[in-house]
Amino acid sequence: MVAAAATASSQLLFSSSHSFSRLSPYQICVFDSKALVSSCPSNVLKRRHVGVAAGVRCMAVGTTSEVATKKRSSYEIETLTNWLLKQEQSGVIDAELTIVLSSISTACKQIASLVQRAAISNLTGIQGAVNVQGEDQKKLDVVSNEVFSNCLRSSGRTGIIASEEEDVPVAVEESYSGNYIVVFDPLDGSSNIDAAVSTGSIFGIYSPNDECLADIGDDPTLGNTELRCVVNVCQPGSNLLAAGYCMYSSSVIFVITLGNGVFAFTLDPMYGEFVLTQENIQIPKTGKIYAFNEGNYQLWDDKLKKYIDDLKDPGPSGKPYSARYIGSLVGDFHRTLLYGGIYGYPRDKKSKNGKLRLLYECAPMSFIVEQAGGKGSDGHQRVLDIQPTEIHQRIPLYIGSQEEVEKLEKYLA
């Protein structure tokens, strides 16, 4: 390609290797009507149809490698929308999944605004209802669930949605294409809402699947549509196409994986957009922080007690592990992802299977941590290999740095 810029007394010619194989590195050729410099190839003159009286001066302006290393502008940002479009262009996801993920990010922005204005808008406190798990619903639980559901329905690309706040999965009649299954906890850590402590939303996305071992029995209260929903949703975490969470704290942070690394985006209130702030997050192999609710210590089995006691022992280093527990899975997990260590919610005498739900809490978080080089376990096996038998199934969860989780598994073996 030859680009010419004419001035009063001279002309500039930019040539690349595609145009002139003998011009290397990139050169600026200046054609002067008063002088002739023979340092440029003759084919430049031929292409420009320059007469004998014209002259040429050549100056190197840098190689392609020098151009590639040019610093990014401080004003250049990459939004979540742009990032998703690049993933689509490179074939990582399709256009339908791009739309679904975009609708989830919109839901997170709305919920972030609701959380920040909860006290002002009278959205603190209990709604007065109990969800399917027997837990008191906070007002923001109900509102966040509606926001999430509405955004997914309006995308037209989701076939089935399953939420912590819904008894059974719901078929989306407004689906135009895609038919993705989206499972989510619309507001994790809602018990912390009234104290303005970190909360978050968790989601996972599956492709439709007609093969499932769900033990739904012959419950006459479930219609044909609901039965089909249960069968489709009931998939192990290894089938996840994408997973992520949004943390509502001092910053609103959207973390996502498409199965090719973990990326974090921070909501910029100036633009109203999620902006890429961390690429290919890797959790440290080890850590010195543990996050367990030690108020339940006396209810744990002896093997787990021994593990926790050993973490508190200073040992030869003279420094024990540090205890950090927020009580919000998203908040505790995000800190563990960045700093390393282990988060655990074990089974105990009150909760035989723990309290965290496999489908829309444990599996998505385990998918994320594995993409970051960590590990998610129920104490004996990989979380992503567990086949759900019901929508709101609970399991124990130990998640974090690979070596820390493996160390715990040895104690529980």
mmCIF file with all atom_site columns, all heavy atoms in Angstrom, residues 175-188:
data_model
loop_
_atom_site.group_PDB
_atom_site.id
_atom_site.type_symbol
_atom_site.label_atom_id
_atom_site.label_alt_id
_atom_site.label_comp_id
_atom_site.label_asym_id
_atom_site.label_entity_id
_atom_site.label_seq_id
_atom_site.pdbx_PDB_ins_code
_atom_site.Cartn_x
_atom_site.Cartn_y
_atom_site.Cartn_z
_atom_site.occupancy
_atom_site.B_iso_or_equiv
_atom_site.pdbx_formal_charge
_atom_site.auth_seq_id
_atom_site.auth_comp_id
_atom_site.auth_asym_id
_atom_site.auth_atom_id
_atom_site.pdbx_PDB_model_num
ATOM 1   N N   . SER A 1 175 ? -38.215 -16.908 24.846 1.00 0.00 ? 175 SER A N   1
ATOM 2   C CA  . SER A 1 175 ? -36.931 -17.227 24.226 1.00 0.00 ? 175 SER A CA  1
ATOM 3   C C   . SER A 1 175 ? -37.064 -17.281 22.708 1.00 0.00 ? 175 SER A C   1
ATOM 4   O O   . SER A 1 175 ? -37.951 -17.931 22.166 1.00 0.00 ? 175 SER A O   1
ATOM 5   C CB  . SER A 1 175 ? -36.421 -18.572 24.754 1.00 0.00 ? 175 SER A CB  1
ATOM 6   O OG  . SER A 1 175 ? -35.193 -18.888 24.170 1.00 0.00 ? 175 SER A OG  1
ATOM 7   N N   . TYR A 1 176 ? -36.159 -16.576 22.010 1.00 0.00 ? 176 TYR A N   1
ATOM 8   C CA  . TYR A 1 176 ? -36.158 -16.561 20.551 1.00 0.00 ? 176 TYR A CA  1
ATOM 9   C C   . TYR A 1 176 ? -35.134 -17.531 19.986 1.00 0.00 ? 176 TYR A C   1
ATOM 10  O O   . TYR A 1 176 ? -35.327 -18.130 18.938 1.00 0.00 ? 176 TYR A O   1
ATOM 11  C CB  . TYR A 1 176 ? -35.857 -15.146 20.043 1.00 0.00 ? 176 TYR A CB  1
ATOM 12  C CG  . TYR A 1 176 ? -36.803 -14.106 20.593 1.00 0.00 ? 176 TYR A CG  1
ATOM 13  C CD1 . TYR A 1 176 ? -36.347 -13.145 21.474 1.00 0.00 ? 176 TYR A CD1 1
ATOM 14  C CD2 . TYR A 1 176 ? -38.154 -14.108 20.254 1.00 0.00 ? 176 TYR A CD2 1
ATOM 15  C CE1 . TYR A 1 176 ? -37.205 -12.192 21.996 1.00 0.00 ? 176 TYR A CE1 1
ATOM 16  C CE2 . TYR A 1 176 ? -39.025 -13.166 20.768 1.00 0.00 ? 176 TYR A CE2 1
ATOM 17  C CZ  . TYR A 1 176 ? -38.547 -12.206 21.644 1.00 0.00 ? 176 TYR A CZ  1
ATOM 18  O OH  . TYR A 1 176 ? -39.407 -11.281 22.160 1.00 0.00 ? 176 TYR A OH  1
ATOM 19  N N   . SER A 1 177 ? -34.033 -17.640 20.661 1.00 0.00 ? 177 SER A N   1
ATOM 20  C CA  . SER A 1 177 ? -32.982 -18.558 20.233 1.00 0.00 ? 177 SER A CA  1
ATOM 21  C C   . SER A 1 177 ? -32.019 -18.716 21.388 1.00 0.00 ? 177 SER A C   1
ATOM 22  O O   . SER A 1 177 ? -32.106 -18.043 22.393 1.00 0.00 ? 177 SER A O   1
ATOM 23  C CB  . SER A 1 177 ? -32.246 -18.003 19.000 1.00 0.00 ? 177 SER A CB  1
ATOM 24  O OG  . SER A 1 177 ? -31.674 -16.741 19.299 1.00 0.00 ? 177 SER A OG  1
ATOM 25  N N   . GLY A 1 178 ? -31.084 -19.627 21.251 1.00 0.00 ? 178 GLY A N   1
ATOM 26  C CA  . GLY A 1 178 ? -30.082 -19.817 22.296 1.00 0.00 ? 178 GLY A CA  1
ATOM 27  C C   . GLY A 1 178 ? -30.468 -20.898 23.288 1.00 0.00 ? 178 GLY A C   1
ATOM 28  O O   . GLY A 1 178 ? -29.806 -21.913 23.411 1.00 0.00 ? 178 GLY A O   1
ATOM 29  N N   . ASN A 1 179 ? -31.581 -20.665 24.007 1.00 0.00 ? 179 ASN A N   1
ATOM 30  C CA  . ASN A 1 179 ? -32.093 -21.642 24.981 1.00 0.00 ? 179 ASN A CA  1
ATOM 31  C C   . ASN A 1 179 ? -31.062 -22.048 26.034 1.00 0.00 ? 179 ASN A C   1
ATOM 32  O O   . ASN A 1 179 ? -31.029 -23.198 26.472 1.00 0.00 ? 179 ASN A O   1
ATOM 33  C CB  . ASN A 1 179 ? -32.616 -22.898 24.264 1.00 0.00 ? 179 ASN A CB  1
ATOM 34  C CG  . ASN A 1 179 ? -33.868 -22.604 23.466 1.00 0.00 ? 179 ASN A CG  1
ATOM 35  O OD1 . ASN A 1 179 ? -34.741 -21.883 23.918 1.00 0.00 ? 179 ASN A OD1 1
ATOM 36  N ND2 . ASN A 1 179 ? -33.946 -23.155 22.265 1.00 0.00 ? 179 ASN A ND2 1
ATOM 37  N N   . TYR A 1 180 ? -30.219 -21.123 26.453 1.00 0.00 ? 180 TYR A N   1
ATOM 38  C CA  . TYR A 1 180 ? -29.248 -21.435 27.495 1.00 0.00 ? 180 TYR A CA  1
ATOM 39  C C   . TYR A 1 180 ? -29.931 -21.590 28.841 1.00 0.00 ? 180 TYR A C   1
ATOM 40  O O   . TYR A 1 180 ? -30.981 -21.012 29.107 1.00 0.00 ? 180 TYR A O   1
ATOM 41  C CB  . TYR A 1 180 ? -28.182 -20.336 27.581 1.00 0.00 ? 180 TYR A CB  1
ATOM 42  C CG  . TYR A 1 180 ? -27.214 -20.371 26.430 1.00 0.00 ? 180 TYR A CG  1
ATOM 43  C CD1 . TYR A 1 180 ? -27.339 -19.477 25.365 1.00 0.00 ? 180 TYR A CD1 1
ATOM 44  C CD2 . TYR A 1 180 ? -26.189 -21.299 26.394 1.00 0.00 ? 180 TYR A CD2 1
ATOM 45  C CE1 . TYR A 1 180 ? -26.464 -19.518 24.300 1.00 0.00 ? 180 TYR A CE1 1
ATOM 46  C CE2 . TYR A 1 180 ? -25.303 -21.346 25.339 1.00 0.00 ? 180 TYR A CE2 1
ATOM 47  C CZ  . TYR A 1 180 ? -25.442 -20.454 24.290 1.00 0.00 ? 180 TYR A CZ  1
ATOM 48  O OH  . TYR A 1 180 ? -24.575 -20.512 23.236 1.00 0.00 ? 180 TYR A OH  1
ATOM 49  N N   . ILE A 1 181 ? -29.320 -22.405 29.680 1.00 0.00 ? 181 ILE A N   1
ATOM 50  C CA  . ILE A 1 181 ? -29.789 -22.577 31.055 1.00 0.00 ? 181 ILE A CA  1
ATOM 51  C C   . ILE A 1 181 ? -28.928 -21.695 31.943 1.00 0.00 ? 181 ILE A C   1
ATOM 52  O O   . ILE A 1 181 ? -27.707 -21.816 31.942 1.00 0.00 ? 181 ILE A O   1
ATOM 53  C CB  . ILE A 1 181 ? -29.672 -24.041 31.495 1.00 0.00 ? 181 ILE A CB  1
ATOM 54  C CG1 . ILE A 1 181 ? -30.542 -24.936 30.623 1.00 0.00 ? 181 ILE A CG1 1
ATOM 55  C CG2 . ILE A 1 181 ? -30.041 -24.195 32.961 1.00 0.00 ? 181 ILE A CG2 1
ATOM 56  C CD1 . ILE A 1 181 ? -30.258 -26.417 30.804 1.00 0.00 ? 181 ILE A CD1 1
ATOM 57  N N   . VAL A 1 182 ? -29.554 -20.808 32.697 1.00 0.00 ? 182 VAL A N   1
ATOM 58  C CA  . VAL A 1 182 ? -28.829 -19.918 33.601 1.00 0.00 ? 182 VAL A CA  1
ATOM 59  C C   . VAL A 1 182 ? -29.263 -20.202 35.030 1.00 0.00 ? 182 VAL A C   1
ATOM 60  O O   . VAL A 1 182 ? -30.450 -20.171 35.347 1.00 0.00 ? 182 VAL A O   1
ATOM 61  C CB  . VAL A 1 182 ? -29.078 -18.433 33.268 1.00 0.00 ? 182 VAL A CB  1
ATOM 62  C CG1 . VAL A 1 182 ? -28.267 -17.540 34.196 1.00 0.00 ? 182 VAL A CG1 1
ATOM 63  C CG2 . VAL A 1 182 ? -28.715 -18.145 31.816 1.00 0.00 ? 182 VAL A CG2 1
ATOM 64  N N   . VAL A 1 183 ? -28.304 -20.526 35.876 1.00 0.00 ? 183 VAL A N   1
ATOM 65  C CA  . VAL A 1 183 ? -28.566 -20.767 37.299 1.00 0.00 ? 183 VAL A CA  1
ATOM 66  C C   . VAL A 1 183 ? -27.894 -19.639 38.075 1.00 0.00 ? 183 VAL A C   1
ATOM 67  O O   . VAL A 1 183 ? -26.801 -19.204 37.722 1.00 0.00 ? 183 VAL A O   1
ATOM 68  C CB  . VAL A 1 183 ? -28.031 -22.142 37.750 1.00 0.00 ? 183 VAL A CB  1
ATOM 69  C CG1 . VAL A 1 183 ? -28.757 -23.266 37.023 1.00 0.00 ? 183 VAL A CG1 1
ATOM 70  C CG2 . VAL A 1 183 ? -26.532 -22.263 37.513 1.00 0.00 ? 183 VAL A CG2 1
ATOM 71  N N   . PHE A 1 184 ? -28.555 -19.161 39.122 1.00 0.00 ? 184 PHE A N   1
ATOM 72  C CA  . PHE A 1 184 ? -27.977 -18.012 39.819 1.00 0.00 ? 184 PHE A CA  1
ATOM 73  C C   . PHE A 1 184 ? -28.489 -17.868 41.244 1.00 0.00 ? 184 PHE A C   1
ATOM 74  O O   . PHE A 1 184 ? -29.582 -18.331 41.590 1.00 0.00 ? 184 PHE A O   1
ATOM 75  C CB  . PHE A 1 184 ? -28.253 -16.718 39.038 1.00 0.00 ? 184 PHE A CB  1
ATOM 76  C CG  . PHE A 1 184 ? -29.719 -16.417 38.833 1.00 0.00 ? 184 PHE A CG  1
ATOM 77  C CD1 . PHE A 1 184 ? -30.427 -15.627 39.733 1.00 0.00 ? 184 PHE A CD1 1
ATOM 78  C CD2 . PHE A 1 184 ? -30.397 -16.902 37.725 1.00 0.00 ? 184 PHE A CD2 1
ATOM 79  C CE1 . PHE A 1 184 ? -31.765 -15.341 39.552 1.00 0.00 ? 184 PHE A CE1 1
ATOM 80  C CE2 . PHE A 1 184 ? -31.752 -16.630 37.520 1.00 0.00 ? 184 PHE A CE2 1
ATOM 81  C CZ  . PHE A 1 184 ? -32.434 -15.849 38.444 1.00 0.00 ? 184 PHE A CZ  1
ATOM 82  N N   . ASP A 1 185 ? -27.660 -17.248 42.042 1.00 0.00 ? 185 ASP A N   1
ATOM 83  C CA  . ASP A 1 185 ? -28.028 -16.776 43.367 1.00 0.00 ? 185 ASP A CA  1
ATOM 84  C C   . ASP A 1 185 ? -28.055 -15.256 43.230 1.00 0.00 ? 185 ASP A C   1
ATOM 85  O O   . ASP A 1 185 ? -27.001 -14.619 43.135 1.00 0.00 ? 185 ASP A O   1
ATOM 86  C CB  . ASP A 1 185 ? -26.990 -17.206 44.405 1.00 0.00 ? 185 ASP A CB  1
ATOM 87  C CG  . ASP A 1 185 ? -27.352 -16.759 45.822 1.00 0.00 ? 185 ASP A CG  1
ATOM 88  O OD1 . ASP A 1 185 ? -28.297 -15.964 45.970 1.00 0.00 ? 185 ASP A OD1 1
ATOM 89  O OD2 . ASP A 1 185 ? -26.683 -17.198 46.773 1.00 0.00 ? 185 ASP A OD2 1
ATOM 90  N N   . PRO A 1 186 ? -29.231 -14.640 43.195 1.00 0.00 ? 186 PRO A N   1
ATOM 91  C CA  . PRO A 1 186 ? -29.312 -13.212 42.860 1.00 0.00 ? 186 PRO A CA  1
ATOM 92  C C   . PRO A 1 186 ? -28.645 -12.295 43.867 1.00 0.00 ? 186 PRO A C   1
ATOM 93  O O   . PRO A 1 186 ? -28.133 -11.239 43.508 1.00 0.00 ? 186 PRO A O   1
ATOM 94  C CB  . PRO A 1 186 ? -30.820 -12.950 42.788 1.00 0.00 ? 186 PRO A CB  1
ATOM 95  C CG  . PRO A 1 186 ? -31.441 -14.027 43.607 1.00 0.00 ? 186 PRO A CG  1
ATOM 96  C CD  . PRO A 1 186 ? -30.560 -15.219 43.432 1.00 0.00 ? 186 PRO A CD  1
ATOM 97  N N   . LEU A 1 187 ? -28.628 -12.683 45.153 1.00 0.00 ? 187 LEU A N   1
ATOM 98  C CA  . LEU A 1 187 ? -27.976 -11.840 46.158 1.00 0.00 ? 187 LEU A CA  1
ATOM 99  C C   . LEU A 1 187 ? -27.431 -12.715 47.277 1.00 0.00 ? 187 LEU A C   1
ATOM 100 O O   . LEU A 1 187 ? -28.109 -13.013 48.252 1.00 0.00 ? 187 LEU A O   1
ATOM 101 C CB  . LEU A 1 187 ? -28.939 -10.797 46.707 1.00 0.00 ? 187 LEU A CB  1
ATOM 102 C CG  . LEU A 1 187 ? -28.279 -9.653  47.485 1.00 0.00 ? 187 LEU A CG  1
ATOM 103 C CD1 . LEU A 1 187 ? -27.317 -8.874  46.585 1.00 0.00 ? 187 LEU A CD1 1
ATOM 104 C CD2 . LEU A 1 187 ? -29.315 -8.699  48.049 1.00 0.00 ? 187 LEU A CD2 1
ATOM 105 N N   . ASP A 1 188 ? -26.184 -13.111 47.116 1.00 0.00 ? 188 ASP A N   1
ATOM 106 C CA  . ASP A 1 188 ? -25.506 -13.927 48.120 1.00 0.00 ? 188 ASP A CA  1
ATOM 107 C C   . ASP A 1 188 ? -25.079 -13.052 49.298 1.00 0.00 ? 188 ASP A C   1
ATOM 108 O O   . ASP A 1 188 ? -24.677 -11.903 49.113 1.00 0.00 ? 188 ASP A O   1
ATOM 109 C CB  . ASP A 1 188 ? -24.267 -14.579 47.492 1.00 0.00 ? 188 ASP A CB  1
ATOM 110 C CG  . ASP A 1 188 ? -23.349 -15.185 48.526 1.00 0.00 ? 188 ASP A CG  1
ATOM 111 O OD1 . ASP A 1 188 ? -23.703 -16.241 49.084 1.00 0.00 ? 188 ASP A OD1 1
ATOM 112 O OD2 . ASP A 1 188 ? -22.293 -14.584 48.788 1.00 0.00 ? 188 ASP A OD2 1
#
